[in-house]
Amino acid sequence: MEMHAYLRGEFPKLYGSDKGGDKSSDDPYTWSDKLLFVADDKPSELPYAEGLNAYEFVRILDAKLKREKQKWEIVAATRGL
């Protein structure tokens, strides 16, 4: 529980928001979905992703989500060009 409390403080967007003790539906993805995302949706990469410690996993996930967001911002910005 302490690990999740620390990671929630460092990476709040990965956990969604808490309102009144209930998990909000801000984040539609489960941790299983996030595991597949870190593994690039490749079954051959799952053993590697599953073997990461929690801190490494969350750091990689955070970086991949940031890149994905940047990619979609660029797509949206250049859509009308």
Side-chain angles (χ1 to χ4, degrees):
M1 296 305 287
E2 290 179 30
M3 176 198 66
H4 281 294
Y6 170 78
L7 293 173
R8 180 175 280 131
E10 293 294 312
F11 306 98
K13 292 183 180 183
L14 298 180
Y15 280 85
S17 62
D18 288 333
K19 296 178 183 172
D22 294 329
K23 181 158 169 66
S24 172
S25 61
D26 290 349
D27 184 5
Y29 302 104
T30 65
W31 281 101
S32 296
D33 295 329
K34 292 173 182 177
L35 180 62
L36 287 170
F37 184 66
V38 168
D40 292 324
D41 293 322
K42 297 177 185 173
S44 62
E45 296 296 320
L46 277 174
Y48 170 74
E50 290 171 339
L52 294 169
N53 70 43
Y55 184 75
E56 292 170 334
F57 175 79
V58 171
R59 294 285 300 203
I60 292 169
L61 177 60
D62 185 56
K64 288 181 69 106
L65 288 172
K66 284 179 183 174
R67 281 196 305 267
E68 189 77 9
K69 181 181 176 188
Q70 290 171 344
K71 180 178 80 172
W72 285 108
E73 288 172 351
I74 291 170
V75 168
T78 59
R79 188 167 286 158
L81 298 178

